[in-house]
Amino acid sequence: MTSTVRPTRVLVAGGGVGALEALLALQDLAGARASITLLTAGRFLTYRALSVAEPFGAEPAVRHEWEQIARDRGVRWIPDVVTRVRADEHRVETRDGGDEGYDALLLAVGARPVPVVPGALTFAGPRDVLAVGEALRALAAAPGRRRVVFVAPSGVGWTLPLYELALLTAHRARSAGDALDVEVVTREDAPLGVFGATASEAVARRLADAGVRVRTASFATEVADGAVWLELEGPLEADLVVALPRLSGPRLAGLPHDEDGFVPVDRHGRVHGVDDAWAVGDMTTRPLKQGGLAAQQADVAAADIAARAGADVDVRPYEPRLQGVLLTGGDPLYLERRPTAPPTSTAGEGFLWWPAHKVVGRRVAPYLESRG
Ligand SMILES: Cc1cc2nc3c(=O)[nH]c(=O)nc-3n(C[C@H](O)[C@H](O)[C@H](O)COP(=O)(O)OP(=O)(O)OC[C@H]3O[C@@H](n4cnc5c(N)ncnc54)[C@H](O)[C@@H]3O)c2cc1C
């Protein structure tokens, strides 16, 4: 007997790791009960996490074409930008003048980087590779002893890329015999303390071995007169200062948001006060903006939508497991914090998960692995 029930129309809007994990999870969990349309602002899924190695000569990270992914997964693809959600009508408006209906809307539109330390170079991923690479090369060519300072300003949750830049810089300077001091200024109490004590201590050892000095609980306010100014300590002389950006939410018309533009969600990813709309990843009010966590949120939201579509799935609320790979110039360090009670903090040079992707997603990592 064939079913006469109309499949739930799910619109997945985004274009990053959250959107891809959501698509794969929905197909896995809802099967034919969901008819999926994918709407992405960009033509490519870019793997931003690997861009930290590019200023040091690594190949640009592989980009995956959304058109090919959509064809491969058998879903409709719309290259466009959501400009407004008309939740009462279950429709979104798009930049190209389109108007798309849905039964369930899953948003993963990310956040926008905002420079916050005046006078510092900002590193927010691929767009800054050239500028930061050139500045580091110029510093290496300059005479005498020099100092480069990497800054994690307050309000930045995911600081791992900063430690990678510092370690990779120190590694290159040491290999070339450069007289370069590398320092990190961070608002954290311990380097990558978010991973827990064991992992953080392993990171601190790596930094010490590489000769990178870390100033914790330190707040950089601006770069001026050849120094980075620290709120409590005063000026720290620096020849180059590179800072992470703060993120700003998408302020999507028709959706609630906090003062920074981020969308509030519950533990299933449901948008507060909006029926049939879910949001995951960097665009939400969740403080830690990280690709692996975006993928875990996407899995939860997809399961919730699949259950609404009538699939027999176990919907478990979001319980984040934090996983990261720290590039060091030598062996990478694998870091993990599991949501046990009390939390388990682990660090190691061997793989702690497989595939050993830098952005860990239950489905997204094996899928991208399979596509090369
Ligand atoms: C330098 C750097 C290193 C990092 N390292 C790691 C790491 O090692 N591990 C890790 O897990 N995470 C890492 N991250 C964080 C990770 O990249 C992000 O947390 C992750 O990409 C968030 O995924 P997302 O799907 O929420 O958003 P994004 O990846 O930002 O994707 C959002 C997508 O939505 C599209 N979009 C925007 N607006 C609209 C719209 N209105 N309509 C339709 N589409 C829209 C955008 O074009 C974009 O493609 C790193 C980030 C940076 C910058």
Side-chain angles (χ1 to χ4, degrees):
M1 201 173 79
T2 51
S3 166
T4 53
V5 178
R6 178 173 72 81
T8 299
R9 292 170 306 151
V10 186
L11 179 62
V12 177
V17 67
L20 181 55
E21 180 76 24
L23 164 65
L24 299 171
L26 277 163
Q27 291 194 313
D28 251 13
L29 302 172
R33 291 173 192 272
S35 144
I36 303 169
T37 297
L38 188 61
L39 193 155
T40 73
R43 304 190 76 83
F44 299 97
L45 170 74
T46 312
Y47 210 85
R48 280 206 298 268
L50 289 175
S51 62
V52 286
E54 290 177 41
F56 307 92
E59 289 289 313
V62 180
R63 299 193 304 173
H64 302 267
E65 270 191 61
W66 276 111
E67 190 173 10
Q68 282 180 15
I69 293 175
R71 198 177 310 130
D72 178 51
R73 302 308 298 179
V75 300
R76 185 170 152 240
W77 175 59
I78 308 173
D80 205 343
V81 177
V82 173
T83 50
R84 174 181 295 275
V85 177
R86 296 207 310 264
D88 292 346
E89 299 159 55
H90 281 64
R91 304 195 77 77
V92 298
E93 292 174 15
T94 67
R95 190 179 54 194
D96 290 354
D99 181 88
E100 195 62 33
Y102 63 81
D103 298 318
L105 174 64
L106 199 161
L107 293 155
V109 300
R112 199 168 43 86
V114 183
V116 279
V117 182
L121 267 184
T122 299
F123 189 84
R127 62 173 214 176
D128 300 312
V129 161
L130 206 63
V132 169
E134 272 174 12
L136 287 170
R137 279 190 292 280
L139 195 64
R145 190 148 201 99
R146 289 135 285 145
R147 180 185 286 141
V148 55
V149 180
F150 293 95
V151 176
S154 56
V156 176
W158 181 240
T159 58
L160 182 132
L162 191 83
Y163 291 101
E164 296 182 305
L165 289 173
L167 284 162
L168 293 167
T169 302
H171 178 78
R172 186 165 74 178
R174 188 173 279 192
S175 313
D178 283 349
L180 185 65
D181 293 330
V182 182
E183 296 208 17
V184 167
V185 166
T186 177
R187 52 90 200 151
E188 299 157 293
D189 290 331
L192 291 176
V194 70
F195 279 97
T198 305
S200 176
E201 281 157 20
V203 173
R205 277 195 300 277
R206 278 298 185 96
L207 290 161
D209 291 349
V212 177
R213 175 165 181 198
V214 183
R215 292 170 191 259
T216 53
S218 196
F219 302 88
T221 53
E222 64 169 330
V223 177
D225 306 325
V228 52
W229 289 74
L230 308 179
E231 179 73 358
L232 302 173
E233 297 96 322
L236 167 64
E237 276 184 27
D239 301 287
L240 174 65
V241 181
V242 180
L244 291 182
R246 211 173 281 158
L247 293 179
S248 168
R251 294 176 201 281
L252 205 49
L255 289 188
H257 59 76
D258 69 7
E259 59 184 14
D260 297 316
F262 295 108
V263 175
V265 290
D266 69 12
R267 290 183 68 205
H268 290 91
R270 300 174 197 147
V271 178
H272 285 185
V274 182
D275 288 341
D276 304 319
W278 286 255
V280 302
D282 286 8
M283 69 174 291
T284 71
T285 46
R286 296 194 178 285
L288 205 51
K289 318 287 189 198
Q290 196 245 12
L293 298 183
Q296 290 172 48
Q297 292 162 26
D299 286 336
V300 174
D304 207 30
I305 293 171
R308 293 270 185 100
D312 181 16
V313 292
D314 183 17
V315 186
R316 295 193 186 179
Y318 178 58
E319 207 181 356
R321 174 171 165 186
L322 187 62
Q323 295 163 303
V325 183
L326 182 76
L327 303 182
T328 63
D331 289 332
L333 194 59
Y334 292 79
L335 307 166
E336 186 171 44
R337 179 191 169 117
R338 284 170 179 255
T340 49
T344 318
S345 171
T346 317
E349 282 169 12
F351 302 142
L352 297 181
W353 54 86
W354 189 260
H357 269 225
K358 200 149 161 39
V359 177
V360 191
R362 181 168 165 195
R363 296 173 177 86
V364 88
Y367 179 70
L368 293 181
E369 184 81 8
S370 73
R371 293 182 65 81

